[in-house]
Amino acid sequence: MRYRVLGKTGIEVSTHCLGTMMFGAVGNPDHEDSARIIHAALDAGINFVDTADMYSAGECEEIVGKALKGRRDDVVLATKVHFPLGEGRNRSGNSRRWILKAVEDSLRRLDTDWIDLYQVHRPDHTTDIEETLSVLSDLVRAGKIRMFGCSTFPAEDLVEAHHVAERRGLMRLRTEQPPYSILARGIERSVLPTAQRLGMGVLTWSPLASGFLSGTYREGRPVDLTTGRAKHTPHRFDPAVPGNAAKLAAVEQLVTLAEEVGCTLPELAVAFPLAHPAVTSVIIGPRTMDHLASLLKGADLLLDDGVLNRIDDIVAPGADLYQADGAWQPPSLTERAWRRRPAGERAVAD
């Protein structure tokens, strides 16, 4: 296992971060088995564990907390806040009110006195970024968290947060957690260069591109749209959809490349993000012990320039063959009012 410093924090983390989204009702409901997988990851040298309060509605944090008993001091523990938990108003987002409640709940579920990295899971354009940075700075001073970051923020939001922190004398976002894979390279355009300029650590998620780089989905093979991820988002897996056909065509070329390199497709996929100079760690999210073993098998794989050039030929730098984040889109796209002048102001001025 290799280690890198997380941005400018001085904290060394493993280049493979254990993602825990699949532990709990959503994936592996067996708490003891999930704990064994966590222990195996730690024994393999992983010292970076990422979870979120919304994973299996808090159950995942409870599993992680139990698994880290006796090993907490050796682990850089990250969790996230933003998505709704429970019914009612003001139970989501990036407001001071919600973050103060959510962090206490996460500390209780994780059974820990502190969180190393507390991340804002998505942007919230109903809350002033100064409000969010202010409460997160207060939590660092209170000793409840050691540092804070964000997940899936566009480059312009990273820049705004940095400047607001500077102007207001607040602590700043130390990390960004974006989706990044061979099939979703859009963050190479601005997010990764911006994070690098701002000295942020970057931990990337979905290196297997929602399973397309796992080797499960191949050109010419039928796809079962009634189970797994395909059941929940069939439009992302149906081979009849032109965009999915393009993904499958790229997968076939990548399978050939992996064979030439002497590795599996998943090993190639996990190694790819780590070749970018802005990336600190890649998040792997196993559901079973076999999944973990297969993902760690290529932990020492380094891609040379020749291999990276071949990948560029298959999927161009900065290109997205699919929309990597299905959970959030900027309001500039989702809200019609953000794209349209009021009807009375649309006429050309006299």
Side-chain angles (χ1 to χ4, degrees):
M1 186 59 62
R2 290 167 288 152
Y3 301 86
R4 294 174 178 172
V5 176
L6 187 61
K8 300 294 185 180
T9 67
I11 298 173
E12 290 189 7
V13 296
S14 49
T15 53
H16 289 59
C17 173
L18 180 66
T20 62
M21 186 175 72
M22 299 308 295
F23 300 149
V26 169
N28 185 345
D30 187 327
H31 287 206
E32 292 186 2
D33 188 48
S34 296
R36 283 192 291 270
I37 296 169
I38 294 172
H39 293 160
L42 300 183
D43 292 341
I46 287 179
N47 75 337
F48 199 7
V49 177
D50 178 74
T51 187
D53 58 5
M54 56 86 68
Y55 294 164
S56 293
E59 181 187 6
C60 182
E61 285 187 327
E62 293 175 353
I63 293 171
V64 170
K66 287 186 286 188
L68 294 184
K69 280 290 187 183
R71 307 183 72 164
R72 177 66 185 89
D73 288 343
D74 299 323
V75 172
V76 178
L77 178 59
T79 191
K80 299 184 280 293
V81 60
H82 171 82
F83 286 107
L85 280 177
E87 301 294 330
R89 297 180 183 277
N90 299 313
R91 294 187 61 81
S92 64
N94 304 342
S95 70
R96 171 177 287 271
R97 186 181 193 275
W98 176 239
I99 288 176
L100 287 175
K101 168 107 171 52
V103 73
E104 295 295 345
D105 290 342
S106 285
L107 288 167
R108 172 178 50 77
R109 286 188 294 261
L110 291 164
D111 196 15
T112 185
D113 293 328
W114 81 96
I115 294 163
D116 292 293
L117 174 60
Y118 199 46
Q119 301 158 102
V120 179
H121 211 157
R122 290 295 188 279
D124 174 9
H125 290 105
T126 70
T127 303
D128 194 315
I129 189 62
E130 180 180 350
E131 181 81 359
T132 303
L133 295 174
S134 175
V135 64
L136 293 172
S137 297
D138 288 346
L139 290 175
V140 173
R141 296 188 186 98
K144 295 183 183 294
I145 65 175
R146 297 293 184 257
M147 56 186 166
F148 54 87
C150 55
S151 176
T152 321
F153 271 42
E156 61 269 24
D157 284 12
L158 298 180
V159 172
E160 180 187 9
H162 178 81
H163 287 311
V164 168
E166 222 173 33
R167 288 198 308 269
R168 299 301 186 187
L170 300 169
M171 297 178 188
R172 56 193 185 88
L173 297 170
R174 289 295 182 179
T175 62
E176 159 61 9
Q177 185 183 136
Y180 186 35
S181 73
I182 296 175
L183 301 184
R185 302 182 61 175
I187 64 169
E188 293 173 343
R189 293 179 177 273
S190 56
V191 171
L192 289 180
T194 298
Q196 199 169 9
R197 284 200 304 273
L198 297 178
M200 300 176 73
V202 175
L203 47 156
T204 64
W205 56 272
S206 197
L208 299 186
S210 297
F212 269 88
L213 297 177
S214 68
T216 301
Y217 305 102
R218 297 290 299 274
E219 202 170 40
R221 293 183 186 175
V223 176
D224 185 354
L225 300 177
T226 65
T227 62
R229 295 187 181 188
K231 178 180 179 180
H232 300 290
T233 53
H235 63 282
R236 302 184 76 171
F237 295 89
D238 186 351
V241 175
N244 295 334
K247 285 187 284 187
L248 291 170
V251 165
E252 293 306 310
Q253 297 179 70
L254 292 167
V255 167
T256 300
L257 176 59
E259 290 172 351
E260 294 174 7
V261 173
C263 67
T264 66
L265 179 59
E267 289 168 8
L268 181 74
V270 172
F272 170 75
L274 291 172
H276 196 288
V279 175
T280 311
S281 294
V282 59
I283 297 173
I284 56 173
R287 181 175 55 84
T288 67
M289 193 70 78
D290 287 343
H291 288 167
L292 175 67
S294 67
L295 290 168
L296 289 180
K297 185 180 176 184
D300 59 351
L301 177 63
L302 300 175
L303 305 182
D304 62 29
D305 287 345
V307 174
L308 293 171
N309 290 341
R310 291 278 299 281
I311 291 174
D312 288 349
D313 291 338
I314 296 169
V315 180
D320 280 331
L321 296 191
Y322 75 107
Q323 179 60 47
D325 181 21
W328 183 85
Q329 287 291 305
S332 56
L333 299 180
T334 60
E335 300 294 331
R336 292 176 178 175
W338 282 49
R339 305 193 307 274
R340 300 177 183 179
R341 287 179 178 272
E345 298 178 9
R346 292 178 197 168
V348 178
D350 294 335

Short mmCIF file of all heavy atoms in Angstrom, two decimals, residues 112-153:
data_model
loop_
_atom_site.label_atom_id
_atom_site.label_comp_id
_atom_site.label_asym_id
_atom_site.label_seq_id
_atom_site.Cartn_x
_atom_site.Cartn_y
_atom_site.Cartn_z
N THR A 112 -17.40 7.76 18.42
CA THR A 112 -16.08 8.37 18.47
C THR A 112 -16.20 9.79 19.00
O THR A 112 -17.27 10.39 18.96
CB THR A 112 -15.44 8.39 17.06
OG1 THR A 112 -14.10 8.90 17.14
CG2 THR A 112 -16.24 9.26 16.09
N ASP A 113 -15.09 10.31 19.51
CA ASP A 113 -15.09 11.68 20.04
C ASP A 113 -14.80 12.71 18.96
O ASP A 113 -15.02 13.90 19.18
CB ASP A 113 -14.03 11.80 21.15
CG ASP A 113 -14.38 10.98 22.37
OD1 ASP A 113 -15.58 10.81 22.65
OD2 ASP A 113 -13.44 10.49 23.04
N TRP A 114 -14.26 12.25 17.82
CA TRP A 114 -13.93 13.21 16.76
C TRP A 114 -14.02 12.54 15.39
O TRP A 114 -13.93 11.33 15.26
CB TRP A 114 -12.52 13.76 16.98
CG TRP A 114 -11.42 12.86 16.50
CD1 TRP A 114 -10.76 12.92 15.30
CD2 TRP A 114 -10.85 11.73 17.18
NE1 TRP A 114 -9.83 11.91 15.19
CE2 TRP A 114 -9.86 11.17 16.35
CE3 TRP A 114 -11.08 11.14 18.43
CZ2 TRP A 114 -9.11 10.06 16.71
CZ3 TRP A 114 -10.34 10.03 18.79
CH2 TRP A 114 -9.37 9.50 17.95
N ILE A 115 -14.22 13.37 14.40
CA ILE A 115 -14.22 12.97 13.00
C ILE A 115 -13.02 13.64 12.35
O ILE A 115 -12.83 14.86 12.50
CB ILE A 115 -15.53 13.39 12.29
CG1 ILE A 115 -16.72 12.64 12.89
CG2 ILE A 115 -15.44 13.19 10.79
CD1 ILE A 115 -18.06 13.27 12.56
N ASP A 116 -12.21 12.89 11.64
CA ASP A 116 -11.01 13.48 11.03
C ASP A 116 -11.36 14.39 9.87
O ASP A 116 -10.82 15.49 9.75
CB ASP A 116 -10.07 12.36 10.56
CG ASP A 116 -9.48 11.59 11.72
OD1 ASP A 116 -8.68 12.18 12.48
OD2 ASP A 116 -9.82 10.41 11.88
N LEU A 117 -12.24 13.93 8.99
CA LEU A 117 -12.62 14.72 7.81
C LEU A 117 -14.14 14.73 7.69
O LEU A 117 -14.75 13.69 7.46
CB LEU A 117 -11.99 14.11 6.55
CG LEU A 117 -12.40 14.72 5.21
CD1 LEU A 117 -12.06 16.21 5.15
CD2 LEU A 117 -11.76 13.97 4.04
N TYR A 118 -14.73 15.91 7.85
CA TYR A 118 -16.19 16.07 7.76
C TYR A 118 -16.48 16.77 6.44
O TYR A 118 -16.01 17.89 6.20
CB TYR A 118 -16.69 16.90 8.94
CG TYR A 118 -18.16 16.77 9.21
CD1 TYR A 118 -18.80 15.54 9.23
CD2 TYR A 118 -18.93 17.90 9.50
CE1 TYR A 118 -20.15 15.42 9.51
CE2 TYR A 118 -20.29 17.80 9.79
CZ TYR A 118 -20.89 16.56 9.79
OH TYR A 118 -22.25 16.44 10.08
N GLN A 119 -17.24 16.12 5.57
CA GLN A 119 -17.43 16.61 4.21
C GLN A 119 -18.88 17.01 3.94
O GLN A 119 -19.80 16.30 4.33
CB GLN A 119 -17.03 15.51 3.21
CG GLN A 119 -15.59 15.04 3.35
CD GLN A 119 -15.40 13.65 2.76
OE1 GLN A 119 -14.89 13.52 1.66
NE2 GLN A 119 -15.81 12.63 3.49
N VAL A 120 -19.03 18.13 3.26
CA VAL A 120 -20.34 18.56 2.78
C VAL A 120 -20.62 17.76 1.52
O VAL A 120 -19.90 17.87 0.52
CB VAL A 120 -20.34 20.07 2.49
CG1 VAL A 120 -21.69 20.51 1.98
CG2 VAL A 120 -19.96 20.85 3.75
N HIS A 121 -21.68 16.93 1.56
CA HIS A 121 -21.87 15.88 0.55
C HIS A 121 -22.24 16.42 -0.83
O HIS A 121 -21.93 15.79 -1.84
CB HIS A 121 -22.96 14.92 1.04
CG HIS A 121 -22.79 13.52 0.58
ND1 HIS A 121 -23.33 12.44 1.24
CD2 HIS A 121 -22.14 12.98 -0.48
CE1 HIS A 121 -23.02 11.32 0.61
NE2 HIS A 121 -22.32 11.63 -0.44
N ARG A 122 -22.92 17.55 -0.88
CA ARG A 122 -23.25 18.20 -2.15
C ARG A 122 -23.41 19.70 -1.88
O ARG A 122 -23.63 20.13 -0.74
CB ARG A 122 -24.57 17.66 -2.73
CG ARG A 122 -24.53 16.24 -3.26
CD ARG A 122 -23.61 16.05 -4.45
NE ARG A 122 -23.72 14.73 -5.03
CZ ARG A 122 -23.13 13.64 -4.58
NH1 ARG A 122 -22.36 13.70 -3.50
NH2 ARG A 122 -23.29 12.46 -5.20
N PRO A 123 -23.34 20.53 -2.93
CA PRO A 123 -23.60 21.96 -2.75
C PRO A 123 -25.04 22.21 -2.31
O PRO A 123 -25.93 21.39 -2.57
CB PRO A 123 -23.34 22.55 -4.15
CG PRO A 123 -22.51 21.52 -4.86
CD PRO A 123 -22.95 20.20 -4.32
N ASP A 124 -25.26 23.33 -1.67
CA ASP A 124 -26.61 23.76 -1.25
C ASP A 124 -26.71 25.25 -1.54
O ASP A 124 -26.23 26.08 -0.77
CB ASP A 124 -26.81 23.47 0.24
CG ASP A 124 -28.13 24.03 0.77
OD1 ASP A 124 -28.95 24.48 -0.05
OD2 ASP A 124 -28.33 24.01 2.00
N HIS A 125 -27.34 25.58 -2.67
CA HIS A 125 -27.38 26.98 -3.08
C HIS A 125 -28.48 27.77 -2.37
O HIS A 125 -28.70 28.95 -2.68
CB HIS A 125 -27.52 27.07 -4.60
CG HIS A 125 -26.28 26.64 -5.31
ND1 HIS A 125 -26.17 25.43 -5.96
CD2 HIS A 125 -25.06 27.24 -5.44
CE1 HIS A 125 -24.96 25.30 -6.47
NE2 HIS A 125 -24.27 26.39 -6.18
N THR A 126 -29.16 27.15 -1.40
CA THR A 126 -30.07 27.91 -0.54
C THR A 126 -29.37 28.41 0.71
O THR A 126 -29.94 29.18 1.48
CB THR A 126 -31.28 27.05 -0.13
OG1 THR A 126 -30.87 26.03 0.78
CG2 THR A 126 -31.96 26.42 -1.34
N THR A 127 -28.14 27.97 0.92
CA THR A 127 -27.38 28.36 2.10
C THR A 127 -26.13 29.11 1.66
O THR A 127 -25.36 28.60 0.83
CB THR A 127 -26.96 27.12 2.93
OG1 THR A 127 -28.12 26.39 3.30
CG2 THR A 127 -26.21 27.54 4.19
N ASP A 128 -25.91 30.29 2.22
CA ASP A 128 -24.71 31.05 1.93
C ASP A 128 -23.49 30.22 2.33
O ASP A 128 -23.43 29.67 3.43
CB ASP A 128 -24.74 32.36 2.73
CG ASP A 128 -23.70 33.37 2.25
OD1 ASP A 128 -22.55 32.97 2.03
OD2 ASP A 128 -24.05 34.55 2.11
N ILE A 129 -22.48 30.14 1.47
CA ILE A 129 -21.29 29.34 1.76
C ILE A 129 -20.59 29.85 3.03
O ILE A 129 -19.96 29.07 3.75
CB ILE A 129 -20.32 29.33 0.56
CG1 ILE A 129 -19.19 28.32 0.79
CG2 ILE A 129 -19.79 30.72 0.28
CD1 ILE A 129 -19.62 26.88 0.93
N GLU A 130 -20.71 31.15 3.32
CA GLU A 130 -20.11 31.67 4.55
C GLU A 130 -20.74 31.02 5.78
O GLU A 130 -20.04 30.72 6.76
CB GLU A 130 -20.28 33.19 4.62
CG GLU A 130 -19.66 33.80 5.88
CD GLU A 130 -19.84 35.31 5.96
OE1 GLU A 130 -20.26 35.90 4.96
OE2 GLU A 130 -19.55 35.87 7.02
N GLU A 131 -22.05 30.78 5.73
CA GLU A 131 -22.74 30.13 6.84
C GLU A 131 -22.18 28.72 7.07
O GLU A 131 -21.93 28.30 8.20
CB GLU A 131 -24.24 30.05 6.52
CG GLU A 131 -25.10 29.41 7.59
CD GLU A 131 -25.45 30.38 8.71
OE1 GLU A 131 -25.01 31.54 8.67
OE2 GLU A 131 -26.16 29.96 9.63
N THR A 132 -21.97 28.01 5.97
CA THR A 132 -21.46 26.64 6.07
C THR A 132 -20.02 26.62 6.58
O THR A 132 -19.66 25.85 7.48
CB THR A 132 -21.54 25.94 4.70
OG1 THR A 132 -22.90 25.97 4.25
CG2 THR A 132 -21.08 24.51 4.80
N LEU A 133 -19.17 27.47 6.00
CA LEU A 133 -17.78 27.52 6.43
C LEU A 133 -17.66 27.95 7.89
O LEU A 133 -16.79 27.47 8.63
CB LEU A 133 -16.98 28.47 5.54
CG LEU A 133 -16.83 28.07 4.08
CD1 LEU A 133 -16.14 29.18 3.30
CD2 LEU A 133 -16.04 26.77 3.95
N SER A 134 -18.55 28.83 8.32
CA SER A 134 -18.52 29.32 9.69
C SER A 134 -18.80 28.21 10.70
O SER A 134 -18.07 28.04 11.67
CB SER A 134 -19.53 30.46 9.86
OG SER A 134 -19.60 30.87 11.21
N VAL A 135 -19.85 27.44 10.46
CA VAL A 135 -20.18 26.38 11.40
C VAL A 135 -19.12 25.28 11.38
O VAL A 135 -18.76 24.72 12.43
CB VAL A 135 -21.59 25.81 11.16
CG1 VAL A 135 -21.69 25.12 9.80
CG2 VAL A 135 -21.99 24.86 12.27
N LEU A 136 -18.59 24.97 10.21
CA LEU A 136 -17.54 23.95 10.13
C LEU A 136 -16.27 24.41 10.84
O LEU A 136 -15.60 23.61 11.52
CB LEU A 136 -17.25 23.61 8.67
CG LEU A 136 -18.39 22.91 7.91
CD1 LEU A 136 -18.07 22.80 6.43
CD2 LEU A 136 -18.67 21.53 8.50
N SER A 137 -15.94 25.68 10.73
CA SER A 137 -14.79 26.23 11.46
C SER A 137 -15.01 26.12 12.96
O SER A 137 -14.08 25.77 13.72
CB SER A 137 -14.55 27.68 11.06
OG SER A 137 -14.22 27.81 9.68
N ASP A 138 -16.24 26.39 13.40
CA ASP A 138 -16.56 26.28 14.82
C ASP A 138 -16.39 24.84 15.31
O ASP A 138 -15.94 24.60 16.44
CB ASP A 138 -17.99 26.74 15.08
CG ASP A 138 -18.16 28.25 14.95
OD1 ASP A 138 -17.13 28.95 14.93
OD2 ASP A 138 -19.31 28.71 14.86
N LEU A 139 -16.75 23.88 14.46
CA LEU A 139 -16.64 22.47 14.86
C LEU A 139 -15.17 22.05 14.98
O LEU A 139 -14.84 21.21 15.84
CB LEU A 139 -17.36 21.57 13.84
CG LEU A 139 -18.88 21.67 13.84
CD1 LEU A 139 -19.47 20.83 12.71
CD2 LEU A 139 -19.47 21.23 15.18
N VAL A 140 -14.30 22.61 14.15
CA VAL A 140 -12.87 22.32 14.30
C VAL A 140 -12.38 22.89 15.62
O VAL A 140 -11.67 22.20 16.39
CB VAL A 140 -12.07 22.92 13.12
CG1 VAL A 140 -10.57 22.78 13.38
CG2 VAL A 140 -12.43 22.24 11.81
N ARG A 141 -12.75 24.12 15.93
CA ARG A 141 -12.31 24.74 17.18
C ARG A 141 -12.85 24.00 18.40
O ARG A 141 -12.20 23.96 19.45
CB ARG A 141 -12.75 26.21 17.21
CG ARG A 141 -12.11 27.07 16.13
CD ARG A 141 -12.43 28.53 16.31
NE ARG A 141 -11.93 29.33 15.19
CZ ARG A 141 -12.67 29.73 14.17
NH1 ARG A 141 -13.96 29.41 14.12
NH2 ARG A 141 -12.14 30.44 13.20
N ALA A 142 -14.03 23.41 18.25
CA ALA A 142 -14.63 22.66 19.36
C ALA A 142 -14.04 21.27 19.51
O ALA A 142 -14.34 20.56 20.48
CB ALA A 142 -16.14 22.56 19.16
N GLY A 143 -13.19 20.86 18.56
CA GLY A 143 -12.55 19.55 18.64
C GLY A 143 -13.41 18.40 18.16
O GLY A 143 -13.03 17.23 18.31
N LYS A 144 -14.55 18.71 17.57
CA LYS A 144 -15.44 17.63 17.10
C LYS A 144 -14.99 17.09 15.74
O LYS A 144 -15.24 15.93 15.43
CB LYS A 144 -16.88 18.12 17.04
CG LYS A 144 -17.44 18.48 18.42
CD LYS A 144 -18.89 18.89 18.36
CE LYS A 144 -19.40 19.31 19.74
NZ LYS A 144 -19.42 18.18 20.70
N ILE A 145 -14.37 17.93 14.93
CA ILE A 145 -13.80 17.49 13.66
C ILE A 145 -12.39 18.06 13.55
O ILE A 145 -12.07 19.07 14.18
CB ILE A 145 -14.66 17.93 12.44
CG1 ILE A 145 -14.68 19.45 12.30
CG2 ILE A 145 -16.07 17.40 12.57
CD1 ILE A 145 -15.42 19.95 11.05
N ARG A 146 -11.56 17.40 12.76
CA ARG A 146 -10.18 17.87 12.60
C ARG A 146 -10.03 18.78 11.38
O ARG A 146 -9.20 19.69 11.38
CB ARG A 146 -9.23 16.67 12.46
CG ARG A 146 -9.20 15.76 13.69
CD ARG A 146 -8.57 16.46 14.88
NE ARG A 146 -8.44 15.57 16.03
CZ ARG A 146 -9.24 15.59 17.10
NH1 ARG A 146 -10.23 16.47 17.15
NH2 ARG A 146 -9.05 14.76 18.10
N MET A 147 -10.81 18.51 10.35
CA MET A 147 -10.77 19.32 9.13
C MET A 147 -12.06 19.06 8.36
O MET A 147 -12.82 18.16 8.71
CB MET A 147 -9.55 18.97 8.27
CG MET A 147 -9.48 17.50 7.90
SD MET A 147 -7.97 17.06 7.03
CE MET A 147 -8.02 15.27 7.14
N PHE A 148 -12.30 19.85 7.33
CA PHE A 148 -13.52 19.64 6.56
C PHE A 148 -13.26 19.84 5.07
O PHE A 148 -12.29 20.47 4.66
CB PHE A 148 -14.66 20.54 7.04
CG PHE A 148 -14.33 22.02 7.10
CD1 PHE A 148 -14.49 22.83 5.99
CD2 PHE A 148 -13.89 22.61 8.29
CE1 PHE A 148 -14.22 24.19 6.03
CE2 PHE A 148 -13.61 23.97 8.35
CZ PHE A 148 -13.77 24.76 7.22
N GLY A 149 -14.15 19.23 4.29
CA GLY A 149 -14.03 19.30 2.84
C GLY A 149 -15.40 19.23 2.20
O GLY A 149 -16.43 19.46 2.84
N CYS A 150 -15.42 18.89 0.92
CA CYS A 150 -16.69 18.85 0.18
C CYS A 150 -16.68 17.69 -0.80
O CYS A 150 -15.65 17.05 -1.03
CB CYS A 150 -16.92 20.17 -0.54
SG CYS A 150 -15.57 20.67 -1.65
N SER A 151 -17.83 17.42 -1.38
CA SER A 151 -17.95 16.34 -2.34
C SER A 151 -18.78 16.79 -3.53
O SER A 151 -19.87 17.34 -3.37
CB SER A 151 -18.61 15.11 -1.69
OG SER A 151 -18.83 14.08 -2.63
N THR A 152 -18.24 16.57 -4.73
CA THR A 152 -18.94 16.83 -5.98
C THR A 152 -19.31 18.31 -6.13
O THR A 152 -20.38 18.65 -6.58
CB THR A 152 -20.18 15.93 -6.10
OG1 THR A 152 -19.87 14.63 -5.59
CG2 THR A 152 -20.60 15.74 -7.55
N PHE A 153 -18.39 19.18 -5.74
CA PHE A 153 -18.56 20.62 -5.93
C PHE A 153 -17.99 21.02 -7.28
O PHE A 153 -16.90 20.57 -7.65
CB PHE A 153 -17.82 21.40 -4.84
CG PHE A 153 -18.63 21.67 -3.60
CD1 PHE A 153 -19.45 20.70 -3.04
CD2 PHE A 153 -18.56 22.91 -2.98
CE1 PHE A 153 -20.19 20.95 -1.90
CE2 PHE A 153 -19.29 23.17 -1.82
CZ PHE A 153 -20.11 22.19 -1.29
#
